[in-house]
Amino acid sequence: MATSGEAPESWYLALLGFAEHFRTSSPPKIRLCVHCLQAVFQFKPPQRVEARTHLQLGSVLYHHTKNTELARSHLEKAWFISQQIPQFEDVKFEAASLLSELYCQQNLVDSAKPLLRKAIQISQQTPYWHCRLLFQLAQLHTLEKDLVSACDLLGVGAEYARVVGSEYTRALFLLSKGMLLLMERKLGEVHPLLTLCGTIVENWQGNPIQKESLRVFFLVLQVTHYLDAGQVKSVKPCLKQLQQCIQTISTLHDDEILPSNPADLFHWLPKEHMCVLVYLVTVMHSMQAGYLEKAQKYTDKALMQLEKLKMLDSSPILSTFQVILLEHIIMCRLVTGHKATALQEISQVCQLCAQSPRLFTNHASQLHTLLGLYCISVNCMDNAEAQFTAALRVSDLTTHQELWAFIVTNLASVYIREGNRHQELYSLLERINPDHNFPVSSHCLRAAAFYIRGLLSFFQGRYNEAKRFLRETLKMSNAEDLNRLTACSLVLLGHIFYVLGNHRESNNMVVPAMQLASKIPDMSVQLWSSALLKDLNKACGNTIDAHEAAQMHQNFSQQLLQDHIAACSLPEHNLISWTDGPPPVGQFQAQNGPTTSLASLL
């Protein structure tokens, strides 16, 4: 809009009024809006009006049409003309920001970077724009996986915010930097930075919603840091604080009072997005800890909220949240015995990834991993191997070391079951040796690596060695409440004692394994435990208990068999043979299949 210094002519105000009327009509009449704005140029307007009109045209064309070339031409003119006009910051920097966004959309990143650098250089007297442009360039470097440059820029932003007296935006810059350092696994730098952030956040006195949103950002980083390290028990106090924090935010009203410092005009995430994010980290925690019904409950809540948000908001972060939630619930379903549902949800992830190349690039490895886990559950070991191999091929090992270790662990379990892949198996086990130079800091994955060693020793008949490995797994999983690993280790130890003829000790392992597996619930461990209980009671002459265990075993087998048949008869089952290229959609349309049961050893 024209500012008071521009002494607007009546023709200009009339054309602007018409343009705005057409833009805000329902539905918007964009063609007419563009005509009105283009008519401004017929009057040979002064430079300020000309630059502003080019910006308005560029913005309308960029946001409401597919004519990016014309949008780009107008934005380039707005940026060029506005640089020659003194005190014209808003038009100048908005043009730079929008234009660089458009360049990135057209894959012209090398045009966007120098443009943003120039804008950053000349915006130091305009705190809001200087900070916003720094965030924008940092985000661009992050998308290019150049986290070092992004961290440097966020550090510059934090120092600038401190100088202009904005502790709030300083915290935003530092927390963003902390997030990238976590991604880079630079844990030595993360800890002092998070400690500093904690102090800044607690001492900052300002808008309550802004303060609480900083706390949510801070706590989300802490929780994900613990979960990355597989520390499911240690994270509980932080997670509880985070859940209380989001409850506080949902009771606060959005005050329309604008901050007095223009550098404070930033929000990390909208309130509704933060709610979904807290649900998401709660699901991650529940799944790792083996509280699968709780994971299901929070996933349902989060997905419902996401569906509502996606009707009004096309923000790409919502699709990312949706994919991560589905990835976790699919793993839960494979444990609880719902393969058919898991398969339909894998197909859903394929469809979401097919709509967004960036989403697919970031989640291709996870998608192949999920298909590998599904293949194990339906006993298609060749396909499982192909899927895990594909997952390793497409994963970015520099930023996804935990994912790499997870895939290798599961691939090792496939080789163990196939029984004839000794060379490949030993070369994998060499790389995930829990006793020596384990490649990641995750407590959970190291415990799983001990379990895999125990499983191999069991199959090779080296029972004492197997017991040593499994006791290590038990020690580690008990320390951090890793219920699934505890249940798996107990039942395997029970099996070993049974084979050795030590029925009493076997019973001491299998009974708690069964109780824990029922609580999770883990269908395959329940199946395994009931088979062992049947044989144990038979051997000890407890006919009634043996009969009861046999009945349980029969029920679990029936459920698993029905679900197995249901899953394998779905058209989406063909996904198991996809190992290359973009995600296939269309030929595997999701159907409302049966939601019965599943089994997977790991």
Side-chain angles (χ1 to χ4, degrees):
M1 289 294 147
T3 62
S4 52
E6 285 170 16
E9 302 280 350
S10 53
W11 56 263
Y12 176 57
L13 292 180
L15 285 170
L16 268 192
F18 277 127
E20 189 59 8
H21 165 73
F22 290 132
R23 190 183 71 81
T24 53
S25 299
S26 184
K29 296 170 180 167
I30 297 303
R31 201 164 55 83
L32 294 172
C33 167
V34 168
H35 279 322
C36 292
L37 289 171
Q38 281 172 330
V40 170
F41 300 125
Q42 307 296 321
F43 292 85
K44 304 281 186 288
Q47 263 198 322
R48 292 173 89 85
V49 171
E50 186 187 357
R52 191 179 288 278
T53 306
H54 279 303
L55 171 61
Q56 288 163 328
L57 270 165
S59 179
V60 167
L61 289 164
Y62 175 61
H63 290 117
H64 299 281
T65 75
K66 292 197 169 79
N67 196 342
T68 44
E69 283 308 315
L70 191 55
R72 178 177 151 185
S73 161
H74 282 295
L75 291 171
E76 283 173 341
K77 284 174 187 163
W79 168 237
F80 178 72
I81 298 167
S82 61
Q83 286 178 80
Q84 301 158 29
I85 305 170
Q87 268 87 51
F88 208 40
E89 272 65 18
D90 271 6
V91 168
K92 190 184 328 186
F93 299 128
E94 192 172 337
S97 176
L98 256 183
L99 183 54
S100 64
E101 208 179 293
L102 187 147
Y103 282 152
C104 289
Q105 201 184 59
Q106 294 186 314
N107 289 326
L108 300 168
V109 176
D110 290 336
S111 301
K113 283 185 201 163
L115 167 62
L116 283 172
R117 283 195 203 101
K118 170 89 188 282
I120 287 167
Q121 192 187 339
I122 60 176
S123 63
Q124 293 195 19
Q125 302 309 312
T126 318
Y128 166 73
W129 277 108
H130 191 63
C131 291
R132 181 167 154 180
L133 293 162
L134 279 166
F135 274 126
Q136 194 171 345
L137 185 54
Q139 186 178 18
L140 203 163
H141 281 300
T142 306
L143 292 174
E144 286 205 300
K145 306 247 189 306
D146 177 4
L147 301 188
V148 175
S149 300
C151 279
D152 288 347
L153 282 164
L154 293 168
V156 168
E159 181 53 25
Y160 176 83
R162 186 188 67 77
V163 170
V164 297
S166 171
E167 286 295 283
Y168 167 76
T169 301
R170 181 187 175 204
L172 272 184
F173 274 116
L174 289 173
L175 288 165
S176 304
K177 184 176 176 179
M179 180 170 71
L180 298 190
L181 290 171
L182 277 175
M183 286 165 67
E184 284 191 283
R185 301 289 177 266
K186 290 188 174 170
L187 303 185
E189 292 177 52
V190 169
H191 296 141
L193 189 109
L194 283 182
T195 308
L196 171 63
C197 288
T199 311
I200 295 173
V201 172
E202 287 314 311
N203 292 340
W204 186 69
Q205 300 302 319
N207 178 318
I209 283 202
Q210 283 183 304
K211 185 180 175 82
E212 289 303 312
S213 75
L214 282 180
R215 290 188 71 215
V216 169
F217 194 172
F218 172 68
L219 288 165
V220 162
L221 290 187
Q222 285 205 306
V223 169
T224 47
H225 179 33
Y226 275 118
L227 291 179
D228 264 356
Q231 294 175 322
V232 171
K233 188 176 182 179
S234 313
V235 75
K236 282 181 181 174
C238 273
L239 185 59
K240 199 167 183 188
Q241 266 183 291
L242 178 58
Q243 288 161 342
Q244 286 164 346
C245 201
I246 202 73
Q247 283 178 330
T248 307
I249 285 189
S250 53
T251 61
L252 293 170
H253 294 292
D254 290 314
D255 295 326
E256 291 305 317
I257 309 159
L258 287 177
S260 53
N261 188 338
D264 284 350
L265 282 165
F266 293 96
H267 267 304
W268 173 51
L269 277 179
K271 201 158 68 169
E272 299 76 16
H273 291 200
M274 281 192 265
C275 285
V276 174
L277 182 58
V278 174
Y279 281 141
L280 175 56
V281 293
T282 305
V283 167
M284 289 163 78
H285 174 260
S286 303
M287 201 215 77
Q288 273 200 36
Y291 307 128
L292 301 192
E293 282 170 349
K294 189 176 173 187
Q296 172 70 63
K297 185 179 90 175
Y298 281 107
T299 300
D300 290 344
K301 283 185 175 184
L303 289 174
M304 247 164 59
Q305 182 112 348
L306 274 170
E307 285 308 314
K308 285 183 202 163
L309 288 174
K310 283 180 93 170
M311 288 176 194
L312 311 163
D313 184 348
S314 61
S315 171
I317 199 170
L318 296 179
S319 294
T320 303
F321 286 165
Q322 194 176 355
V323 165
I324 298 172
L325 277 163
L326 285 167
E327 285 169 357
H328 282 81
I329 203 60
I330 287 161
M331 289 190 276
C332 290
R333 297 215 200 275
L334 290 175
V335 174
T336 57
H338 300 88
K339 293 189 274 282
T341 314
L343 187 54
Q344 290 166 332
E345 285 162 341
I346 290 173
S347 174
Q348 215 181 321
V349 175
C350 281
Q351 285 166 26
L352 285 165
C353 286
Q355 290 159 19
S356 158
R358 182 175 294 146
L359 202 56
F360 179 58
T361 304
N362 291 336
H363 291 268
S365 190
Q366 291 89 321
L367 195 42
H368 285 297
T369 305
L370 292 171
L371 280 166
L373 295 173
Y374 167 75
C375 291
I376 291 179
S377 77
V378 289
N379 212 23
C380 298
M381 292 301 163
D382 288 349
N383 296 94
E385 182 186 344
Q387 289 297 340
F388 290 135
T389 308
L392 289 172
R393 191 180 65 245
V394 298
S395 71
D396 176 4
L397 301 186
T398 50
T399 52
H400 281 113
Q401 288 168 308
E402 278 80 8
L403 177 62
W404 173 85
F406 180 75
I407 297 165
V408 167
T409 306
N410 281 287
L411 183 55
S413 84
V414 170
Y415 288 153
I416 289 171
R417 288 170 213 209
E418 288 184 316
N420 57 356
R421 307 296 296 278
H422 306 301
Q423 202 174 340
E424 294 97 325
L425 176 60
Y426 288 120
S427 99
L428 279 188
L429 292 179
E430 202 57 32
R431 297 162 78 186
I432 50 162
N433 183 348
D435 283 320
H436 181 67
N437 287 341
F438 192 65
V440 291
S441 58
S442 170
H443 183 92
C444 178
L445 286 168
R446 189 163 167 256
F450 275 119
Y451 178 78
I452 283 290
R453 296 266 166 164
L455 189 66
L456 176 62
S457 302
F458 166 72
F459 276 119
Q460 292 173 333
R462 300 208 303 269
Y463 298 128
N464 283 335
E465 188 179 84
K467 283 191 281 186
R468 180 184 89 75
F469 287 129
L470 292 169
R471 283 183 178 130
E472 279 299 326
T473 303
L474 272 179
K475 195 166 77 183
M476 291 184 75
S477 55
N478 281 333
E480 283 291 348
D481 290 352
L482 304 168
N483 289 333
R484 288 204 56 232
L485 271 174
T486 302
C488 288
S489 307
L490 283 171
V491 72
L492 185 47
L493 274 168
H495 203 131
I496 291 168
F497 283 120
Y498 176 73
V499 171
L500 293 172
N502 188 341
H503 294 166
R504 186 155 156 260
E505 200 59 43
S506 177
N507 197 59
N508 288 346
M509 300 289 155
V510 179
V511 170
M514 186 62 161
Q515 288 165 344
L516 197 49
S518 310
K519 192 174 118 188
I520 290 170
D522 185 324
M523 201 63 159
S524 56
V525 175
Q526 285 176 294
L527 182 75
W528 191 357
S529 303
S530 58
L532 271 172
L533 283 173
K534 177 185 72 173
D535 294 343
L536 268 172
N537 285 308
K538 209 168 170 184
C540 298
N542 304 332
T543 321
I544 295 170
D545 290 345
H547 179 71
E548 195 182 308
Q551 194 54 55
M552 272 194 327
H553 186 259
Q554 175 68 18
N555 292 345
F556 292 135
S557 300
Q558 273 310 112
Q559 275 180 281
L560 284 165
L561 186 63
Q562 282 170 7
D563 186 49
H564 184 104
I565 293 164
C568 293
S569 59
L570 285 172
E572 293 90 338
H573 182 73
N574 294 321
L575 279 168
I576 68 173
S577 54
W578 162 67
T579 53
D580 207 12
V585 286
Q587 65 263 49
F588 309 125
Q589 280 307 307
Q591 298 178 359
N592 290 327
T595 54
T596 39
S597 355
L598 139 308
S600 144
L601 184 64
L602 258 181

